Amino acid sequence: MAEITASMVKELREKTDAPMMECKKALAEAGGDMAKAEEVLRVKLGSKASKAAGRVAAEGVVAIHISADGKLGSMLEINSETDFVAKNDDFLKLAADCAALVAAQNPADVAALSALPLSGGTVESTRTALVGKIGENMSLRRFVRVAAKGQLASYIHSGSKIGVLVDVVGGDEALAKDIAMHIAASKPKSLDATGVPAELLETERRIAIEKARESGKPEAMLEKIAEGTVQKYLRDVTLLGQVFVKAEDGKQTIEQLLKAKGASVASFALYMVGEGIEKKVTDFAAEVAAQAAAASGK
């Protein structure tokens, strides 16, 4: 059996960018033949990509692209299994490239985005190759593209885990940035009351009535109490109704701030990485114990 030296492993790693241990295994399997080892890796990395596809990817980043004139922008969420991979330069480049493609090509959905040309192949082939290279699942989850009525502003927070894209009509750059930061901090569900689903309002109303009834409030007051509760809920969840996070008096709402500046918000989008994705909870100690038991045949 041919001796597999460190320099051989290094050479193969530089050629393929595959993990070091994978390179060593491939060289051993190929009997030290560099060309054959490359073929082995191509086969294995493709297999690794397909195996990784079934694993939950709930980490990742939000990437934002805005045109030079601030009139066209996009925001995209791409997920990975671990936060470590979310900081990988190749992963971040894929995210940035895809956000730029969304702005330029206006794909209808993730499938259409995946089919667009990128790096000599397609977005999907680039993604699959990166999955094989890193050995961890990653997926394009969602994106939004905005043709601004005013001027676009953005804000990325918490290591690219929260992203905001907002279209502000009027005002200035500082105001637009403040609005974007406020959205990231306060996480409104919609611009105003028209964007809040009726079923959510009905739920708030129903809960308020039951609470008031249980506390002994007169039946004649229940509807009025419920209406007050719903209005408070709307102030909490709508951008225009929220108190501006930088308000000096602690009372000025976003609606009042915009009015004072002669501005308005046409639309906004807020992405939080992994929102709504069920993450697998792993008991690491139990997993190690189980592997040890399996290895000992117990």
Side-chain angles (χ1 to χ4, degrees):
M1 182 176 177
E3 181 185 0
I4 309 302
T5 65
S7 61
M8 291 169 67
V9 173
K10 182 175 182 292
E11 181 182 350
L12 183 58
R13 176 170 169 75
E14 288 174 351
K15 281 186 175 183
T16 63
D17 211 15
M20 184 174 64
M21 289 306 298
E22 293 291 338
C23 291
K24 187 173 182 180
K25 290 176 185 177
L27 282 165
E29 186 174 331
D33 185 312
M34 191 66 65
K36 188 175 179 181
E38 283 189 57
E39 291 184 15
V40 169
L41 279 176
R42 288 182 63 186
V43 172
K44 285 190 173 182
L45 292 181
S47 173
K48 185 185 293 182
S50 64
K51 288 178 181 177
R55 300 199 294 265
V56 175
E59 297 294 337
V61 296
V62 174
I64 294 176
H65 178 88
I66 297 179
S67 62
D69 62 4
K71 292 293 185 179
L72 181 64
S74 62
M75 182 165 65
L76 172 141
E77 178 184 351
I78 180 170
N79 299 122
S80 59
E81 292 180 53
T82 64
D83 188 50
F84 178 77
V85 167
K87 297 173 183 175
N88 177 277
D89 288 341
D90 290 333
F91 181 81
L92 294 173
K93 183 178 186 304
L94 176 61
D97 287 347
C98 286
L101 277 174
V102 169
Q105 301 295 328
N106 194 21
D109 51 29
V110 170
L113 170 60
S114 298
L116 291 176
L118 182 65
S119 302
T122 64
V123 169
E124 177 58 19
S125 66
T126 303
R127 183 198 69 83
T128 302
L130 191 54
V131 170
K133 172 184 169 183
I134 296 177
E136 182 172 307
N137 191 25
M138 56 192 70
S139 60
L140 299 168
R141 185 184 185 198
R142 54 181 172 167
F143 62 80
V144 62
R145 182 178 185 270
V146 180
K149 293 180 179 179
Q151 203 77 7
L152 290 173
S154 65
Y155 184 67
I156 291 286
H157 183 66
S158 189
S160 298
K161 300 300 183 187
I162 299 174
V164 174
L165 190 61
V166 59
D167 180 4
V168 180
V169 181
D172 54 23
E173 187 177 339
L175 173 67
K177 179 62 72 174
D178 276 346
I179 297 296
M181 291 175 64
H182 170 93
I183 292 169
S186 298
K187 302 175 181 59
K189 294 182 182 296
S190 67
L191 178 60
D192 55 30
T194 63
V196 180
E199 57 268 25
L200 286 182
L201 297 182
E202 185 54 37
T203 297
E204 291 299 316
R205 184 181 300 277
R206 187 170 58 252
I207 291 172
I209 288 175
E210 290 305 316
K211 281 185 175 180
R213 183 174 285 138
E214 286 184 7
S215 66
K217 299 294 184 184
E219 286 291 323
M221 292 181 59
L222 298 185
E223 283 299 330
K224 186 176 181 180
I225 291 172
E227 182 59 27
T229 300
V230 167
Q231 291 306 313
K232 181 181 183 304
Y233 174 75
L234 287 173
R235 289 194 296 272
D236 289 342
V237 303
T238 60
L239 175 61
L240 297 183
Q242 290 178 338
V243 173
F244 179 38
V245 291
K246 292 171 67 175
E248 293 182 3
D249 62 359
K251 296 179 180 179
Q252 186 184 39
T253 65
I254 292 294
E255 185 172 25
Q256 291 167 342
L257 170 67
L258 290 167
K259 186 175 181 180
K261 299 288 186 177
S264 63
V265 171
S267 66
F268 76 88
L270 167 66
Y271 280 179
M272 291 178 281
V273 169
E275 182 182 19
I277 299 177
E278 185 175 350
K279 299 183 181 182
K280 181 180 178 182
V281 179
T282 302
D283 186 334
F284 183 71
E287 189 175 297
V288 172
Q291 290 178 354
S296 64
K298 293 180 181 180

